[in-house]
Amino acid sequence: METGELRARAICSVARALLGMVKPNMRCVFVSWADQAISVRVVYDDDFTQSDIDDVDAIETEMLADFFPDVNVECRAERLASKQRVVPQGNEVMVFMRAECNQYDEP
């Protein structure tokens, strides 16, 4: 699969997988892709629960259904204090972000 096609399909897939999964403690979702792999990073306020981890697993399962067996999909949950700014890592693209005030602690 070409990079441009993988990019478009990855963004559409994660957007679809997020339907009905967004909760108040979910701050943002990033997606990145390379070769035959897609990574999704779901950022939560402070601590996340087992229910949140189950939701991330469900997002991964929905995306795997779109790509199996040609592309590997990995989703992970990450904790970030609500006072810290959310920053993409590497070649990540943000596909969801909730509204937030801009009062962040500087690192």
Side-chain angles (χ1 to χ4, degrees), residues 21-70:
M21 304 302 281
V22 175
K23 295 180 181 173
N25 64 333
M26 185 183 288
R27 293 184 66 188
C28 67
V29 177
F30 292 99
V31 64
S32 61
W33 55 91
D35 299 322
Q36 298 302 310
I38 298 171
S39 291
V40 176
R41 181 168 61 109
V42 182
V43 180
Y44 287 95
D45 271 338
D46 305 314
D47 292 329
F48 47 85
T49 66
Q50 183 60 49
S51 176
D52 296 326
I53 294 170
D54 293 344
D55 290 345
V56 171
D57 289 344
I59 292 165
E60 181 176 273
T61 300
E62 289 291 325
M63 292 183 67
L64 280 168
D66 292 339
F67 293 100
F68 185 81
D70 300 324

Side-chain angles (χ1 to χ4, degrees), residues 70-87:
D70 300 324
V71 178
N72 183 47
V73 177
E74 179 185 347
C75 297
R76 69 182 192 280
E78 180 179 293
R79 174 196 176 279
L80 187 66
S82 57
K83 292 284 186 176
Q84 290 182 300
R85 183 181 309 274
V86 179
V87 179

Side-chain angles (χ1 to χ4, degrees), residues 87-104:
V87 179
Q89 299 172 354
N91 64 344
E92 289 180 325
V93 172
M94 188 179 297
V95 292
F96 165 80
M97 183 172 186
R98 71 175 186 199
E100 297 184 345
C101 70
N102 293 326
Q103 302 300 316
Y104 300 113

